[in-house]
Amino acid sequence: ELKVEQNPLFLSMQEGKNYTIYCNYSTTSDRLYWYRQDPGKSLESLFVLLSNGAVKQEGRLMASLDTKARLSTLHITAAVHDLSATYFCAVDLNSGTYKYIFGTGTRLKVLA
Amino acid sequence: NAGVTQTPKFRILKIGQSMTLQCTQDMNHNYMYWYRQDPGMGLKLIYYSVGAGITDKGEVPNGYNVSRSTTEDFPLRLELAAPSQTSVYFCASRDAAGNTIYFGEGSWLTVV
């Protein structure tokens, strides 16, 4: 059974600080997604990582994928209040079934 | 741009009632998904479909049924609603390349 775990589950950080969210998964996959969800809203696509070593950056967020370690990271640089949200990773089961399993989510609060 | 459209947005059901959540997409995507999100939790895959006439179970299919008679529509039926089905339901679709999963706005369901 595929398990996708994120840590931390909750993160409170000061504006201007850096931090990393981790996404570990339990089976082989070469495709991983990161999403952002604001309270009461739907999910917004941030990144899709398609191969080992993939790195993508958008503004203060940078995501990377290590398929050998079954690990993806979402790095936040110089956090600002607007980044406060819940962040999810999702893994393609890589079995030809096109099933996507979501992580537990990381609730980020950036304090002014 | 319509994208993925879900109806209704909000619904209150009594225990034992049945209802159908509607989902339609106008992007000609073959792959469609239903997820549920309990308060403060991640998304759990209920059912998914890889094309018209083809559906399969996800992580938490019990108490639900789906059909896929057309490419555009993927309704989710709840039979004999139970309080445990109180949740937010998200429909999603993806393109053939799998580079983006598009989510609907969500349907908030309360079973009392």
Side-chain angles (χ1 to χ4, degrees), chain A residues 9-82:
Chain A
L9 297 182
F10 300 96
L11 176 56
S12 180
M13 57 191 298
Q14 296 289 330
E15 276 193 332
K17 298 293 186 181
N18 304 332
Y19 209 84
T20 300
I21 298 170
Y22 298 89
C23 173
N24 293 274
Y25 52 97
S26 62
T27 192
T28 57
S29 176
D30 58 6
R31 187 182 295 246
L32 189 139
Y33 302 79
W34 282 97
Y35 286 86
R36 169 184 172 140
Q37 186 180 38
D38 293 303
K41 301 293 186 181
S42 187
L43 282 80
E44 173 190 352
S45 178
L46 293 175
F47 302 108
V48 55
L49 303 168
L50 298 176
S51 61
N52 186 41
V55 177
K56 289 198 173 179
Q57 182 164 4
E58 181 73 33
R60 301 175 186 274
L61 300 177
M62 183 175 70
S64 66
L65 178 62
D66 181 343
T67 58
K68 294 180 180 178
R70 301 179 184 174
L71 171 69
S72 180
T73 62
L74 181 66
H75 187 73
I76 303 158
T77 301
V80 293
H81 180 71
D82 285 351

XYZ file of all heavy atoms in Angstrom, chain A residues 9-82:
591
model
N 3.693 18.455 10.005
C 2.275 18.614 9.734
C 1.840 20.061 9.935
O 0.936 20.541 9.257
C 1.456 17.695 10.645
C 1.680 16.191 10.476
C 0.775 15.414 11.417
C 1.441 15.769 9.039
N 2.463 20.718 10.885
C 2.174 22.121 11.161
C 3.488 22.876 11.227
O 4.474 22.383 11.763
C 1.429 22.286 12.490
C 0.111 21.577 12.539
C 0.025 20.313 13.098
C -1.027 22.153 12.022
C -1.187 19.649 13.141
C -2.245 21.501 12.052
C -2.316 20.234 12.614
N 3.467 24.074 10.703
C 4.690 24.872 10.691
C 4.321 26.334 10.872
O 3.574 26.896 10.065
C 5.423 24.674 9.361
C 6.681 25.498 9.122
C 7.692 25.282 10.235
C 7.276 25.146 7.763
N 4.862 26.908 11.930
C 4.665 28.321 12.174
C 6.026 28.992 12.078
O 6.962 28.567 12.762
C 4.065 28.545 13.576
O 3.876 29.924 13.819
N 6.158 29.951 11.206
C 7.471 30.546 11.000
C 7.359 32.057 10.864
O 6.305 32.592 10.496
C 8.143 29.948 9.774
C 7.365 30.068 8.484
S 8.070 29.079 7.132
C 9.668 29.808 6.929
N 8.461 32.715 11.122
C 8.515 34.163 11.034
C 8.743 34.577 9.592
O 9.396 33.866 8.811
C 9.649 34.705 11.906
C 9.472 34.446 13.392
C 8.357 35.288 13.985
O 8.075 36.381 13.538
N 7.719 34.746 15.002
N 8.217 35.717 9.239
C 8.516 36.270 7.924
C 10.024 36.423 7.763
O 10.738 36.748 8.719
C 7.836 37.635 7.747
C 6.399 37.548 7.296
C 5.836 38.881 6.832
O 6.312 39.920 7.330
O 4.933 38.879 5.990
N 10.476 36.166 6.556
C 11.900 36.325 6.267
C 12.739 35.087 6.496
O 13.884 35.020 6.053
N 12.168 34.095 7.162
C 12.914 32.870 7.448
C 12.771 31.858 6.320
O 11.863 31.937 5.502
C 12.415 32.240 8.753
C 12.608 33.124 9.973
C 14.073 33.305 10.294
C 14.238 34.069 11.607
N 15.669 34.292 11.938
N 13.690 30.892 6.336
C 13.667 29.800 5.358
C 13.243 28.514 6.052
O 13.534 28.307 7.237
C 15.054 29.584 4.754
C 15.615 30.826 4.115
O 14.865 31.692 3.652
N 16.934 30.942 4.091
N 12.580 27.648 5.279
C 12.222 26.341 5.843
C 11.947 25.368 4.720
O 11.711 25.778 3.582
C 10.987 26.449 6.741
C 10.992 25.402 7.830
C 11.685 25.593 9.018
C 10.324 24.198 7.658
C 11.711 24.624 9.995
C 10.342 23.226 8.631
C 11.028 23.440 9.797
O 11.064 22.476 10.765
N 11.970 24.069 5.071
C 11.746 23.014 4.089
C 10.661 22.068 4.571
O 10.652 21.655 5.732
C 13.037 22.218 3.825
O 14.044 23.114 3.317
C 12.797 21.112 2.811
N 9.755 21.742 3.667
C 8.728 20.734 3.905
C 9.143 19.470 3.169
O 9.593 19.536 2.020
C 7.356 21.217 3.392
C 6.927 22.488 4.144
C 6.306 20.134 3.534
C 5.704 23.168 3.534
N 8.980 18.328 3.833
C 9.417 17.059 3.275
C 8.228 16.169 2.928
O 7.235 16.137 3.651
C 10.318 16.323 4.267
C 11.574 17.074 4.591
C 11.611 17.995 5.634
C 12.739 16.876 3.845
C 12.764 18.704 5.922
C 13.898 17.574 4.134
C 13.902 18.485 5.167
O 15.048 19.187 5.446
N 8.385 15.457 1.827
C 7.352 14.522 1.377
C 8.023 13.187 1.087
O 8.834 13.082 0.155
C 6.661 15.061 0.132
S 5.495 13.910 -0.647
N 7.711 12.189 1.889
C 8.267 10.844 1.706
C 7.189 9.912 1.203
O 6.039 9.975 1.656
C 8.779 10.294 3.044
C 9.977 11.054 3.555
O 11.109 10.770 3.215
N 9.717 12.061 4.371
N 7.534 9.015 0.303
C 6.552 8.063 -0.183
C 7.158 6.669 -0.219
O 8.371 6.503 -0.268
C 6.014 8.472 -1.560
C 7.064 8.758 -2.605
C 7.438 7.795 -3.525
C 7.664 10.017 -2.672
C 8.389 8.061 -4.491
C 8.613 10.291 -3.634
C 8.964 9.315 -4.541
O 9.915 9.569 -5.491
N 6.297 5.668 -0.192
C 6.743 4.315 0.154
C 6.932 3.380 -1.030
O 7.341 2.236 -0.844
C 5.748 3.681 1.125
O 4.475 3.576 0.515
N 6.648 3.841 -2.248
C 6.834 2.949 -3.391
C 7.443 3.735 -4.537
O 7.570 4.951 -4.462
C 5.510 2.294 -3.804
O 5.776 1.234 -4.729
C 4.588 3.294 -4.470
N 7.829 3.039 -5.581
C 8.483 3.736 -6.674
C 7.509 4.647 -7.399
O 6.350 4.302 -7.625
C 9.084 2.740 -7.681
O 8.041 1.885 -8.145
C 10.177 1.922 -7.033
N 8.001 5.804 -7.750
C 7.208 6.755 -8.525
C 8.163 7.743 -9.159
O 9.177 8.101 -8.554
C 6.202 7.491 -7.655
O 5.514 8.463 -8.437
N 7.861 8.160 -10.345
C 8.721 9.160 -10.986
C 7.951 10.416 -11.336
O 8.344 11.165 -12.222
C 9.395 8.565 -12.231
C 8.374 8.049 -13.235
O 7.160 8.250 -13.014
O 8.785 7.446 -14.226
N 6.859 10.639 -10.616
C 6.060 11.820 -10.900
C 5.436 12.293 -9.598
O 4.733 11.543 -8.928
C 4.977 11.484 -11.922
C 4.173 12.653 -12.426
C 3.112 12.156 -13.387
N 3.714 11.573 -14.591
C 3.591 12.079 -15.806
N 2.917 13.193 -15.976
N 4.137 11.469 -16.840
N 5.688 13.526 -9.260
C 5.212 14.052 -7.989
C 4.717 15.477 -8.184
O 5.317 16.258 -8.932
C 6.329 13.998 -6.933
C 5.918 14.330 -5.497
C 6.593 13.387 -4.511
C 6.204 15.769 -5.144
N 3.636 15.776 -7.473
C 2.986 17.081 -7.596
C 2.979 17.791 -6.241
O 2.885 17.146 -5.202
C 1.526 16.912 -8.032
C 1.341 16.176 -9.342
C 1.423 14.791 -9.395
C 1.044 16.863 -10.513
C 1.239 14.111 -10.583
C 0.848 16.190 -11.711
C 0.957 14.816 -11.734
O 0.764 14.147 -12.920
N 3.041 19.100 -6.296
C 2.834 19.929 -5.109
C 1.646 20.854 -5.357
O 1.518 21.455 -6.447
C 4.068 20.763 -4.783
C 5.160 19.989 -4.116
C 6.258 19.430 -4.691
C 5.251 19.691 -2.717
N 7.025 18.799 -3.740
C 6.438 18.944 -2.530
C 4.451 19.972 -1.596
C 6.845 18.485 -1.275
C 4.859 19.511 -0.366
C 6.037 18.786 -0.212
N 0.801 20.942 -4.312
C -0.379 21.780 -4.385
C -0.437 22.688 -3.163
O 0.071 22.358 -2.089
C -1.657 20.927 -4.405
C -1.896 20.250 -5.714
C -1.323 19.019 -5.980
C -2.668 20.851 -6.694
C -1.524 18.398 -7.189
C -2.881 20.231 -7.921
C -2.303 19.009 -8.156
O -2.503 18.402 -9.359
N -1.134 23.778 -3.361
C -1.426 24.714 -2.277
C -2.938 24.775 -2.110
O -3.687 24.773 -3.098
C -0.888 26.106 -2.625
C -1.392 27.180 -1.682
C -0.926 28.548 -2.096
N -1.586 29.568 -1.282
C -0.995 30.658 -0.817
N 0.277 30.912 -1.116
N -1.657 31.524 -0.082
N -3.375 24.820 -0.834
C -4.798 24.977 -0.566
C -4.998 26.060 0.484
O -4.477 25.958 1.603
C -5.425 23.659 -0.096
C -6.940 23.749 0.067
C -7.553 22.450 0.537
O -6.981 21.737 1.353
N -8.742 22.133 0.025
N -5.766 27.074 0.151
C -6.164 28.090 1.106
C -7.443 27.624 1.801
O -8.217 26.837 1.238
C -6.379 29.430 0.402
C -5.069 29.980 -0.121
O -4.148 30.152 0.700
O -4.947 30.213 -1.341
N -7.686 28.095 3.027
C -8.859 27.629 3.781
C -10.161 27.787 3.006
O -10.451 28.859 2.465
C -8.837 28.519 5.026
C -7.405 28.888 5.200
C -6.863 29.041 3.806
N -10.929 26.712 2.933
C -12.226 26.755 2.265
C -12.154 26.800 0.750
O -13.172 27.013 0.094
N -10.955 26.601 0.216
C -10.786 26.694 -1.240
C -10.365 25.363 -1.829
O -10.074 24.403 -1.113
C -9.720 27.761 -1.562
C -10.041 29.142 -1.043
C -11.229 29.731 -1.750
C -11.458 31.176 -1.328
N -12.647 31.767 -2.015
N -10.307 25.347 -3.153
C -9.847 24.157 -3.857
C -8.313 24.125 -3.882
O -7.657 24.953 -3.253
C -10.416 24.153 -5.269
O -10.112 22.940 -5.905
N -7.776 23.182 -4.587
C -6.327 23.021 -4.651
C -5.759 23.723 -5.879
O -6.300 23.619 -6.977
C -5.951 21.545 -4.706
C -6.018 20.815 -3.379
C -7.441 20.435 -3.033
C -5.126 19.580 -3.400
N -4.648 24.387 -5.653
C -3.964 25.115 -6.719
C -2.663 24.408 -7.032
O -1.862 24.140 -6.126
C -3.688 26.547 -6.265
C -2.834 27.362 -7.226
C -2.404 28.683 -6.616
O -2.896 29.028 -5.515
O -1.563 29.370 -7.223
N -2.445 24.102 -8.297
C -1.220 23.410 -8.693
C -0.015 24.332 -8.566
O -0.041 25.476 -9.018
C -1.353 22.932 -10.135
O -0.168 22.302 -10.558
N 1.044 23.811 -7.931
C 2.285 24.574 -7.805
C 3.363 24.017 -8.740
O 3.929 24.732 -9.553
C 2.801 24.514 -6.371
C 1.967 25.206 -5.301
C 2.561 24.940 -3.925
C 1.879 26.694 -5.571
N 3.670 22.744 -8.569
C 4.740 22.137 -9.352
C 4.368 20.697 -9.727
O 3.664 20.024 -8.982
C 6.043 22.060 -8.545
C 6.541 23.385 -8.037
C 6.454 23.699 -6.686
C 7.114 24.311 -8.906
C 6.916 24.921 -6.209
C 7.578 25.526 -8.439
C 7.480 25.830 -7.098
N 4.904 20.269 -10.854
C 4.920 18.843 -11.163
C 6.363 18.474 -11.457
O 7.042 19.143 -12.239
C 3.982 18.486 -12.340
C 4.280 19.294 -13.570
C 4.062 17.004 -12.643
N 6.857 17.441 -10.810
C 8.237 16.990 -10.936
C 8.214 15.638 -11.636
O 7.592 14.693 -11.146
C 8.879 16.878 -9.552
C 8.837 18.180 -8.743
C 9.220 17.914 -7.295
C 9.771 19.213 -9.352
N 8.871 15.557 -12.767
C 8.674 14.415 -13.653
C 9.830 13.420 -13.689
O 9.720 12.403 -14.361
C 8.400 14.923 -15.074
C 7.145 15.770 -15.226
C 7.031 16.295 -16.648
C 5.908 14.959 -14.853
N 10.924 13.702 -13.015
C 12.035 12.761 -13.085
C 12.963 12.955 -11.907
O 12.931 13.976 -11.219
C 12.813 12.959 -14.387
O 13.349 14.260 -14.437
N 13.814 11.985 -11.710
C 14.776 12.063 -10.618
C 15.686 13.273 -10.805
O 16.188 13.516 -11.903
C 15.619 10.789 -10.565
C 16.532 10.771 -9.369
O 16.138 11.160 -8.273
N 17.764 10.342 -9.571
N 15.860 14.020 -9.752
C 16.709 15.194 -9.812
C 16.011 16.444 -10.280
O 16.625 17.515 -10.355
N 14.739 16.346 -10.617
C 14.005 17.519 -11.111
C 13.944 18.585 -10.020
O 13.751 18.287 -8.849
C 12.606 17.124 -11.541
N 14.133 19.808 -10.438
C 14.043 20.957 -9.549
C 13.244 22.035 -10.276
O 13.509 22.333 -11.435
C 15.425 21.512 -9.176
C 15.267 22.763 -8.299
C 16.253 20.463 -8.458
N 12.263 22.588 -9.550
C 11.487 23.681 -10.132
C 11.344 24.795 -9.096
O 11.243 24.516 -7.898
C 10.116 23.198 -10.584
C 10.192 22.302 -11.806
C 8.857 22.185 -12.477
C 8.994 21.425 -13.773
N 7.707 21.248 -14.463
N 11.329 26.026 -9.601
C 11.236 27.173 -8.700
C 10.216 28.154 -9.224
O 10.108 28.390 -10.436
C 12.597 27.855 -8.561
C 12.582 29.026 -7.592
C 13.968 29.452 -7.170
O 14.969 28.913 -7.660
N 14.057 30.377 -6.262
N 9.463 28.721 -8.290
C 8.497 29.755 -8.622
C 8.459 30.723 -7.450
O 7.995 30.372 -6.353
C 7.117 29.169 -8.868
C 6.054 30.181 -9.232
C 6.202 30.730 -10.636
O 6.655 29.984 -11.527
O 5.852 31.912 -10.843
N 8.993 31.893 -7.667
C 9.024 32.882 -6.590
C 9.848 32.381 -5.408
O 11.001 31.987 -5.560
N 9.252 32.356 -4.246
C 9.941 31.949 -3.015
C 9.874 30.449 -2.758
O 10.348 29.991 -1.707
C 9.336 32.694 -1.834
C 9.423 34.206 -1.968
C 8.706 34.919 -0.827
N 8.674 36.362 -1.052
C 9.637 37.182 -0.711
N 10.712 36.727 -0.092
N 9.541 38.478 -0.977
N 9.283 29.695 -3.640
C 9.134 28.257 -3.482
C 10.003 27.515 -4.483
O 10.056 27.879 -5.659
C 7.670 27.856 -3.679
C 6.639 28.469 -2.739
C 5.242 28.011 -3.120
C 6.950 28.130 -1.298
N 10.673 26.469 -3.979
C 11.455 25.608 -4.837
C 11.198 24.161 -4.452
O 11.277 23.799 -3.273
C 12.947 25.914 -4.721
C 13.803 25.087 -5.667
S 15.539 25.554 -5.639
C 16.016 24.964 -4.023
N 10.896 23.329 -5.445
C 10.606 21.922 -5.193
C 11.640 21.059 -5.890
O 12.116 21.392 -6.977
C 9.211 21.580 -5.699
N 11.961 19.921 -5.253
C 12.915 18.984 -5.838
C 12.430 17.563 -5.622
O 11.601 17.304 -4.757
C 14.300 19.175 -5.216
O 14.265 18.824 -3.844
N 12.979 16.646 -6.423
C 12.560 15.251 -6.349
C 13.773 14.345 -6.401
O 14.614 14.460 -7.303
C 11.618 14.915 -7.510
C 11.130 13.472 -7.602
C 10.325 13.089 -6.365
C 10.293 13.255 -8.866
N 13.852 13.422 -5.449
C 14.871 12.376 -5.425
C 14.129 11.049 -5.425
O 13.665 10.585 -4.386
C 15.753 12.524 -4.169
C 16.849 11.475 -4.112
O 16.762 10.460 -4.816
O 17.796 11.671 -3.325
N 14.025 10.434 -6.593
C 13.225 9.207 -6.686
C 13.916 8.022 -6.014
O 13.248 7.098 -5.569
C 12.937 8.861 -8.150
O 14.184 8.701 -8.846
C 12.101 9.927 -8.815
N 15.238 8.069 -5.921
C 15.939 6.951 -5.271
C 15.671 6.948 -3.773
O 15.506 5.890 -3.156
C 17.426 7.043 -5.570
C 17.742 6.837 -7.050
C 19.224 6.931 -7.317
C 19.507 6.729 -8.810
N 20.958 6.854 -9.119
N 15.645 8.138 -3.192
C 15.342 8.263 -1.769
C 13.846 8.312 -1.507
O 13.418 8.307 -0.352
C 16.003 9.520 -1.206
N 13.045 8.382 -2.575
C 11.589 8.507 -2.462
C 11.239 9.714 -1.610
O 10.461 9.631 -0.646
C 10.959 7.226 -1.916
C 11.249 6.023 -2.798
C 10.663 4.750 -2.249
N 11.038 3.603 -3.083
C 10.760 2.342 -2.781
N 10.091 2.064 -1.676
N 11.141 1.371 -3.583
N 11.815 10.836 -2.012
C 11.695 12.050 -1.213
C 11.574 13.260 -2.121
O 12.305 13.401 -3.110
C 12.931 12.212 -0.334
C 13.091 13.523 0.410
C 12.032 13.646 1.509
C 14.495 13.619 1.016
N 10.626 14.125 -1.763
C 10.543 15.422 -2.405
C 10.575 16.489 -1.331
O 10.108 16.272 -0.211
C 9.260 15.553 -3.230
O 9.186 16.826 -3.847
N 11.145 17.626 -1.673
C 11.183 18.739 -0.731
C 10.568 19.973 -1.360
O 10.634 20.180 -2.567
C 12.623 19.063 -0.295
O 13.376 19.447 -1.445
C 13.272 17.870 0.381
N 9.953 20.780 -0.513
C 9.436 22.082 -0.911
C 10.114 23.098 -0.014
O 9.858 23.141 1.194
C 7.922 22.145 -0.760
C 7.258 23.466 -1.166
C 7.413 23.708 -2.659
C 5.781 23.477 -0.781
N 10.993 23.882 -0.592
C 11.777 24.838 0.181
C 11.182 26.232 0.056
O 10.869 26.679 -1.051
C 13.233 24.842 -0.286
C 14.115 25.681 0.570
N 14.506 25.291 1.838
C 14.671 26.900 0.352
C 15.263 26.241 2.356
N 15.387 27.221 1.486
N 11.055 26.864 1.204
C 10.502 28.220 1.263
C 11.632 29.178 1.609
O 12.323 28.980 2.625
C 9.404 28.307 2.331
C 8.309 27.280 2.035
C 8.823 29.719 2.405
C 7.492 26.929 3.241
N 11.811 30.167 0.780
C 12.881 31.144 0.997
C 12.289 32.495 1.389
O 11.397 33.006 0.698
C 13.718 31.323 -0.277
O 14.275 30.061 -0.651
C 14.840 32.325 -0.046
N 12.772 33.046 2.489
C 12.335 34.380 2.951
C 10.812 34.471 2.965
O 10.212 35.268 2.235
C 12.960 35.464 2.081
N 10.209 33.661 3.814
C 8.744 33.530 3.833
C 8.040 34.881 4.021
O 8.522 35.756 4.734
C 8.333 32.571 4.939
N 6.898 34.986 3.373
C 6.018 36.139 3.546
C 4.637 35.637 3.954
O 4.295 34.468 3.735
C 5.908 36.992 2.265
C 7.234 37.655 1.950
C 5.440 36.148 1.099
N 3.829 36.534 4.535
C 2.530 36.137 5.080
C 1.643 35.466 4.026
O 0.896 34.535 4.329
C 1.825 37.357 5.665
C 0.480 37.034 6.238
N 0.322 36.298 7.411
C -0.763 37.311 5.802
C -0.967 36.167 7.667
N -1.645 36.769 6.705
N 1.751 35.927 2.782
C 0.894 35.394 1.711
C 1.135 33.917 1.425
O 0.317 33.280 0.746
C 1.101 36.189 0.416
C 0.438 37.554 0.476
O -0.320 37.789 1.449
O 0.667 38.373 -0.418
